[in-house]
Amino acid sequence: MDAFRNAKRILMARLGNIKDVLMVSPAVGAVRRAWPSAELTLMVSPAGATVAGWVPGLDEVFVHRALWQDVQSDIAFDPAREQLLITELARRSFDVALIFTGVAQSPLPFAYACYLAGISVRAGQSREFGGKVLTHWVRPLADDAHQVDRNLHLVHEVGISVTGPENAVMRVLVPRAAHAQAQMLLQEQGISGDFVVIAPGATCGARRYPKDCYAAVAAGLRQAGRVVVVVGGPKDAACGAGIASASGAISLCGQTDIAVLAALLARARLLIGNDAAPMHMADAVGCPMVILYAGTDLEARWRPRHAPARILRRPTACSPCYRLACPYDLECLAISPAKVVAQALELMGGTLRVVAGG
């Protein structure tokens, strides 16, 4: 750790979505413990910025939409824009850059930008040879390693201790205002006790358990005497209304932002949802869950590890497919609503969760 010992300004970069930022939080904690007095900045994409401020231990969040993360291919050709990024990095005078990536991402483009900005220590994990673009070239774990472990592996390989159970747990500080808003929404709906959250949304159709099946799940839980709340963004409003109409559930779709959703999950007895952002937020706040996990990705990389969870998926030969749309009628999610309800009720068989504060 000699190259890092006197670092005063540290840049940690994790450009991705909500789950990527949540899963770098244990690594942030390890870096903060190693440098208690350093100025610690987390660089995130606009998608990850919605939760980056919840990660304990940070002094600043730096938001940037990076050319090398342009999934939609809609960033215009503009070399001057990239020069401005280098200028901004140089202005901030970082001593160290720790570049966190997923399996399909390379740290080398950003490491080169850091080199041009004069950041003398640049660490990332990659199978590709990049010369001295990285001063600390870390060979990654196996592709099926959990993303939290992958992030901690980079930290460990540059000499920072990651021993102890606290290093493997995602931590977030949901804003107090969000807790207050969540409480108000529940009171408006007459909910004062135990409730179950259903989150039917996902980033793509290949990861969504069918709406009619969710409606049947909600109806089954209602028959078992459970209060059911359906959550999602504005684009999920029609789906949420349909589930509520068919089951007697309460739809809050379109009425919560990400922070209020996290606060609701912190109060909920259980989440039922897809492989999507609510799953990761539930894990971060300790909410038990039943997840309809499509075969689009490896469970081992992203599955919940902190909160109690039941992962439901039918094995299929095409998994992991990494598809946005399924050509096989979602065979991997051909799970009966009755089974989902049974798993949910079984998981809720323990004592009622008590949420402190808020």
Side-chain angles (χ1 to χ4, degrees):
M1 195 174 166
D2 290 343
F4 301 84
R5 196 171 303 280
N6 298 320
K8 293 182 173 59
R9 295 181 179 85
I10 300 168
L11 173 65
M12 300 177 70
R14 186 55 175 111
L15 299 169
N17 56 27
I18 287 172
K19 70 180 179 182
D20 298 317
V21 172
L22 294 176
M23 289 190 181
V24 84
S25 62
V28 171
V31 172
R32 172 52 72 202
R33 287 187 289 274
W35 285 285
S37 61
E39 183 179 307
L40 185 55
T41 297
L42 180 63
M43 181 175 175
V44 298
S45 66
T50 55
V51 299
W54 308 353
V55 178
L58 294 175
D59 295 297
E60 183 186 20
V61 174
F62 176 20
V63 182
H64 178 72
R65 188 180 181 203
L67 178 67
W68 55 93
Q69 294 285 105
D70 183 16
V71 178
Q72 304 297 330
S73 299
D74 58 1
I75 296 181
F77 178 74
D78 187 359
R81 179 192 58 242
E82 306 310 314
Q83 292 289 345
L84 287 175
L85 170 62
I86 294 169
T87 300
E88 179 62 17
L89 291 172
R91 184 189 69 79
R92 291 168 178 261
S93 300
F94 293 113
D95 303 303
V96 171
L98 300 173
I99 305 166
F100 297 88
T101 53
V103 170
Q105 300 166 330
S106 172
L108 299 179
F110 186 54
Y112 190 45
C114 292
Y115 172 87
L116 295 176
I119 302 175
S120 58
V121 178
R122 305 169 302 280
Q125 47 191 324
S126 173
R127 289 191 173 87
E128 300 84 12
F129 174 69
K132 286 297 182 181
V133 170
L134 291 171
T135 58
H136 293 68
W137 177 24
V138 175
R139 296 300 179 98
L141 296 176
D143 285 355
D144 62 352
H146 197 276
Q147 187 65 39
V148 168
D149 294 333
R150 179 181 171 91
N151 294 334
L152 290 173
H153 175 65
L154 173 61
V155 171
H156 175 265
E157 290 299 297
V158 299
I160 299 170
S161 173
V162 295
T163 58
E166 72 279 0
N167 285 290
V169 178
M170 294 187 294
R171 286 185 172 84
V172 294
L173 299 174
V174 181
R176 287 183 177 273
H179 281 290
Q181 179 68 16
Q183 186 63 32
M184 185 181 71
L185 282 173
L186 293 173
Q187 289 174 350
E188 289 175 350
Q189 297 295 334
I191 301 172
S192 59
D194 198 5
F195 65 96
V196 175
V197 168
I198 287 181
T203 54
C204 62
R207 294 184 179 183
R208 293 191 193 108
Y209 190 56
K211 179 183 73 172
D212 291 347
C213 292
Y214 269 125
V217 170
L221 290 171
R222 294 283 294 138
Q223 290 172 7
R226 302 290 176 171
V227 175
V228 179
V229 175
V230 186
V231 299
K235 65 181 180 181
D236 301 311
C239 177
I243 293 172
S245 175
S247 66
I250 297 166
S251 177
L252 296 179
C253 291
Q255 300 181 50
T256 64
D257 59 15
I258 293 296
V260 174
L261 173 56
L264 285 172
L265 291 172
R267 287 165 166 73
R269 181 67 182 273
L270 184 79
L271 165 70
I272 301 176
N274 305 311
D275 170 20
M279 176 182 77
H280 303 291
M281 287 190 287
D283 200 25
V285 300
C287 177
M289 68 196 90
V290 175
I291 299 299
L292 287 304
Y293 204 107
T296 58
D297 206 340
L298 292 175
E299 294 173 28
R301 289 180 187 163
W302 306 107
R303 65 173 296 148
R305 301 201 308 179
H306 173 53
R310 303 284 176 89
I311 306 297
L312 305 181
R313 176 173 64 85
R314 285 188 61 195
T316 54
C318 54
S319 177
C321 67
Y322 306 109
R323 287 178 176 265
L324 300 180
C326 176
Y328 304 116
D329 295 324
L330 291 174
E331 291 180 8
C332 56
L333 291 179
I335 299 162
S336 71
K339 181 174 182 178
V340 179
V341 172
Q343 291 288 316
L345 294 175
E346 184 178 317
L347 191 56
M348 288 189 288
T351 58
L352 180 66
R353 292 196 318 133
V354 177
V355 178

